[in-house]
Amino acid sequence: MKYEEIINKSKKVKAPDLSQHAGTKTKKPDNMENILNLLKKTDSKTRLGIRILQLVYIAMILVAISYILISSDFFIDLGIGSLILAFVLVIFVQQLRFRAYSNNYTNNPVIKYLHEAKKRMRVFTPRTYYVILIWAFIDIGICLILKTVLAGTTFYLSAVILLQALLIILVIIDFYSAWLIWKRDHLPVIKEIDKMLNDVEAS
Amino acid sequence: MKKTEQNFSRLVEENKDKIYRICCYYLSNDEDRKDLYQETLLNLWKAFKSFREEAAFSTWAFRITVNTALQFISKEKKLHASKKNYSSQNINQEDKSLINEQNEIEILHKSILQLPLIDMIIISLVLEEVPSKDIAKIIGLADTNIRVRIHRAKITLKKIIEGGAS
């Protein structure tokens, strides 16, 4: 088997027809115009998904603001204000997601791309800290609302303690599962990247 | 179609076979290859606004192709699967006796997957006749370093193909 012959034959491989590819709905012949339409559709679907989520939270903020305007209880207003802050942070986190999607990291030299990929695969990214803040604002908001709703009853303190316990359990489960997923999916990749970067830097 | 779209279509049309072939070198499964090819085209389209015409489109596109492939194989954990898939069926006499064009191309893919990742990237570009100075730009290493690596990777690949070593 001659190396050169095989190399030459490999050049005969042609790009496939994407219209027949699984997950691709179009049945039209695969010319560049159809491919381009498919790309535009996939791209706008992802962008639209994030925007719709942001719009849902904006609507929730507007409803919350309208409630503050008609409500006369200070603690309920404060509680809803705290929930609004949590919603604003959700919108902000989604905006970060949108930016990360739009920002094409693949446009960098491979070595730089790998260094950045490693950074993006850290266990704790800025988004993690925003999620903690969101949980905290929701917690404060619910506690303040409960203060008015359960005013004068003996349940208030128990309700708040129960809520804290529940939230702590949820946060622990959330972080532990995220860590397990990171360990399963990202850690081996980081090790592979490290191996490659060490190999490159050693030469 | 707008002018940008026309430009994009024309440039991709000219390079699509090369882009697809680069995708093929990183994976053993045909469906995965098509998925990667589609994802690469999507990334090219997303990044096209940032493409400056002073650089060759092919160099720019191959850089995105290689990075998308790295992203794809790490995200989908496909590299180990592909390597495992191929190493379980080492190049042997049976392969050699079944030589036809398709088999030979598969043997080439099989052999490339046995190389270290950096050599896989280099060889995938060398096979598409990308000049060493462009490979250096794509990878982000010095041209001299790349030339040494190309030489070493070619020797290893040749040994695997001709010797049938795993």
Side-chain angles (χ1 to χ4, degrees), chain A residues 134-151:
Chain A
I134 291 169
W135 280 111
F137 280 128
I138 290 175
D139 185 24
I140 294 167
I142 295 175
C143 286
L144 287 168
I145 293 168
L146 284 179
K147 190 176 164 56
T148 306
V149 175
L150 300 176

mmCIF file of all heavy atoms in Angstrom, chain A residues 134-151:
data_model
loop_
_atom_site.group_PDB
_atom_site.id
_atom_site.type_symbol
_atom_site.label_atom_id
_atom_site.label_comp_id
_atom_site.label_asym_id
_atom_site.label_seq_id
_atom_site.Cartn_x
_atom_site.Cartn_y
_atom_site.Cartn_z
ATOM 1 N N ILE A 134 -28.887 35.434 42.115
ATOM 2 C CA ILE A 134 -30.307 35.272 41.753
ATOM 3 C C ILE A 134 -31.032 34.516 42.870
ATOM 4 O O ILE A 134 -32.096 34.936 43.334
ATOM 5 C CB ILE A 134 -30.446 34.531 40.391
ATOM 6 C CG1 ILE A 134 -29.944 35.430 39.262
ATOM 7 C CG2 ILE A 134 -31.908 34.119 40.132
ATOM 8 C CD1 ILE A 134 -29.787 34.744 37.915
ATOM 9 N N TRP A 135 -30.417 33.403 43.320
ATOM 10 C CA TRP A 135 -31.011 32.631 44.431
ATOM 11 C C TRP A 135 -31.194 33.522 45.655
ATOM 12 O O TRP A 135 -32.236 33.476 46.324
ATOM 13 C CB TRP A 135 -30.112 31.445 44.814
ATOM 14 C CG TRP A 135 -30.225 30.245 43.927
ATOM 15 C CD1 TRP A 135 -29.275 29.781 43.064
ATOM 16 C CD2 TRP A 135 -31.332 29.349 43.799
ATOM 17 N NE1 TRP A 135 -29.733 28.660 42.410
ATOM 18 C CE2 TRP A 135 -30.992 28.368 42.844
ATOM 19 C CE3 TRP A 135 -32.592 29.283 44.390
ATOM 20 C CZ2 TRP A 135 -31.835 27.336 42.476
ATOM 21 C CZ3 TRP A 135 -33.443 28.241 44.016
ATOM 22 C CH2 TRP A 135 -33.064 27.287 43.075
ATOM 23 N N ALA A 136 -30.177 34.334 45.954
ATOM 24 C CA ALA A 136 -30.227 35.187 47.163
ATOM 25 C C ALA A 136 -31.371 36.200 47.055
ATOM 26 O O ALA A 136 -32.132 36.394 48.012
ATOM 27 C CB ALA A 136 -28.888 35.902 47.339
ATOM 28 N N PHE A 137 -31.519 36.831 45.904
ATOM 29 C CA PHE A 137 -32.598 37.824 45.735
ATOM 30 C C PHE A 137 -33.984 37.164 45.825
ATOM 31 O O PHE A 137 -34.904 37.734 46.407
ATOM 32 C CB PHE A 137 -32.454 38.568 44.399
ATOM 33 C CG PHE A 137 -31.435 39.671 44.455
ATOM 34 C CD1 PHE A 137 -30.418 39.742 43.518
ATOM 35 C CD2 PHE A 137 -31.503 40.658 45.441
ATOM 36 C CE1 PHE A 137 -29.468 40.767 43.560
ATOM 37 C CE2 PHE A 137 -30.555 41.674 45.488
ATOM 38 C CZ PHE A 137 -29.536 41.717 44.556
ATOM 39 N N ILE A 138 -34.110 35.978 45.252
ATOM 40 C CA ILE A 138 -35.401 35.273 45.327
ATOM 41 C C ILE A 138 -35.703 34.950 46.792
ATOM 42 O O ILE A 138 -36.825 35.150 47.285
ATOM 43 C CB ILE A 138 -35.380 33.983 44.464
ATOM 44 C CG1 ILE A 138 -35.345 34.364 42.978
ATOM 45 C CG2 ILE A 138 -36.595 33.090 44.746
ATOM 46 C CD1 ILE A 138 -35.199 33.223 42.014
ATOM 47 N N ASP A 139 -34.688 34.493 47.504
ATOM 48 C CA ASP A 139 -34.846 34.154 48.929
ATOM 49 C C ASP A 139 -35.302 35.367 49.733
ATOM 50 O O ASP A 139 -36.304 35.320 50.458
ATOM 51 C CB ASP A 139 -33.494 33.626 49.433
ATOM 52 C CG ASP A 139 -33.570 33.141 50.864
ATOM 53 O OD1 ASP A 139 -34.687 32.786 51.303
ATOM 54 O OD2 ASP A 139 -32.529 33.113 51.540
ATOM 55 N N ILE A 140 -34.574 36.482 49.563
ATOM 56 C CA ILE A 140 -34.918 37.704 50.306
ATOM 57 C C ILE A 140 -36.344 38.139 49.947
ATOM 58 O O ILE A 140 -37.152 38.464 50.833
ATOM 59 C CB ILE A 140 -33.899 38.834 50.002
ATOM 60 C CG1 ILE A 140 -32.522 38.450 50.545
ATOM 61 C CG2 ILE A 140 -34.356 40.173 50.604
ATOM 62 C CD1 ILE A 140 -31.384 39.317 50.039
ATOM 63 N N GLY A 141 -36.652 38.118 48.662
ATOM 64 C CA GLY A 141 -37.982 38.533 48.190
ATOM 65 C C GLY A 141 -39.092 37.717 48.838
ATOM 66 O O GLY A 141 -40.063 38.267 49.379
ATOM 67 N N ILE A 142 -38.940 36.386 48.807
ATOM 68 C CA ILE A 142 -39.986 35.521 49.370
ATOM 69 C C ILE A 142 -40.113 35.749 50.886
ATOM 70 O O ILE A 142 -41.217 35.833 51.432
ATOM 71 C CB ILE A 142 -39.711 34.031 49.039
ATOM 72 C CG1 ILE A 142 -39.801 33.821 47.519
ATOM 73 C CG2 ILE A 142 -40.715 33.112 49.737
ATOM 74 C CD1 ILE A 142 -39.449 32.430 47.042
ATOM 75 N N CYS A 143 -38.979 35.905 51.576
ATOM 76 C CA CYS A 143 -39.007 36.135 53.036
ATOM 77 C C CYS A 143 -39.771 37.419 53.356
ATOM 78 O O CYS A 143 -40.583 37.466 54.293
ATOM 79 C CB CYS A 143 -37.595 36.234 53.592
ATOM 80 S SG CYS A 143 -36.799 34.645 53.667
ATOM 81 N N LEU A 144 -39.505 38.472 52.579
ATOM 82 C CA LEU A 144 -40.180 39.760 52.846
ATOM 83 C C LEU A 144 -41.690 39.642 52.572
ATOM 84 O O LEU A 144 -42.501 40.187 53.333
ATOM 85 C CB LEU A 144 -39.569 40.859 51.973
ATOM 86 C CG LEU A 144 -38.176 41.320 52.407
ATOM 87 C CD1 LEU A 144 -37.531 42.178 51.333
ATOM 88 C CD2 LEU A 144 -38.229 42.077 53.712
ATOM 89 N N ILE A 145 -42.053 38.929 51.513
ATOM 90 C CA ILE A 145 -43.486 38.764 51.212
ATOM 91 C C ILE A 145 -44.157 37.944 52.327
ATOM 92 O O ILE A 145 -45.245 38.290 52.811
ATOM 93 C CB ILE A 145 -43.689 38.106 49.824
ATOM 94 C CG1 ILE A 145 -43.202 39.068 48.727
ATOM 95 C CG2 ILE A 145 -45.158 37.742 49.576
ATOM 96 C CD1 ILE A 145 -43.076 38.467 47.345
ATOM 97 N N LEU A 146 -43.445 36.885 52.751
ATOM 98 C CA LEU A 146 -44.000 36.041 53.826
ATOM 99 C C LEU A 146 -44.220 36.836 55.117
ATOM 100 O O LEU A 146 -45.153 36.586 55.868
ATOM 101 C CB LEU A 146 -43.059 34.859 54.109
ATOM 102 C CG LEU A 146 -43.067 33.695 53.114
ATOM 103 C CD1 LEU A 146 -42.066 32.633 53.533
ATOM 104 C CD2 LEU A 146 -44.459 33.061 53.027
ATOM 105 N N LYS A 147 -43.334 37.815 55.334
ATOM 106 C CA LYS A 147 -43.424 38.629 56.555
ATOM 107 C C LYS A 147 -44.802 39.292 56.635
ATOM 108 O O LYS A 147 -45.398 39.390 57.716
ATOM 109 C CB LYS A 147 -42.312 39.686 56.558
ATOM 110 C CG LYS A 147 -42.171 40.427 57.876
ATOM 111 C CD LYS A 147 -41.007 41.376 57.811
ATOM 112 C CE LYS A 147 -41.046 42.411 58.916
ATOM 113 N NZ LYS A 147 -41.107 41.861 60.257
ATOM 114 N N THR A 148 -45.328 39.752 55.497
ATOM 115 C CA THR A 148 -46.653 40.395 55.499
ATOM 116 C C THR A 148 -47.766 39.346 55.457
ATOM 117 O O THR A 148 -48.721 39.420 56.217
ATOM 118 C CB THR A 148 -46.778 41.321 54.261
ATOM 119 O OG1 THR A 148 -45.686 42.202 54.274
ATOM 120 C CG2 THR A 148 -48.084 42.089 54.272
ATOM 121 N N VAL A 149 -47.588 38.367 54.571
ATOM 122 C CA VAL A 149 -48.657 37.363 54.399
ATOM 123 C C VAL A 149 -48.903 36.599 55.700
ATOM 124 O O VAL A 149 -50.045 36.343 56.079
ATOM 125 C CB VAL A 149 -48.288 36.388 53.249
ATOM 126 C CG1 VAL A 149 -49.300 35.264 53.129
ATOM 127 C CG2 VAL A 149 -48.199 37.141 51.944
ATOM 128 N N LEU A 150 -47.793 36.236 56.374
ATOM 129 C CA LEU A 150 -47.938 35.445 57.609
ATOM 130 C C LEU A 150 -47.819 36.310 58.871
ATOM 131 O O LEU A 150 -47.525 35.788 59.944
ATOM 132 C CB LEU A 150 -46.902 34.321 57.646
ATOM 133 C CG LEU A 150 -46.959 33.293 56.512
ATOM 134 C CD1 LEU A 150 -45.820 32.297 56.635
ATOM 135 C CD2 LEU A 150 -48.289 32.549 56.505
ATOM 136 N N ALA A 151 -48.023 37.611 58.747
ATOM 137 C CA ALA A 151 -47.874 38.518 59.904
ATOM 138 C C ALA A 151 -48.820 38.097 61.018
ATOM 139 O O ALA A 151 -49.986 37.769 60.779
ATOM 140 C CB ALA A 151 -48.161 39.948 59.482
#
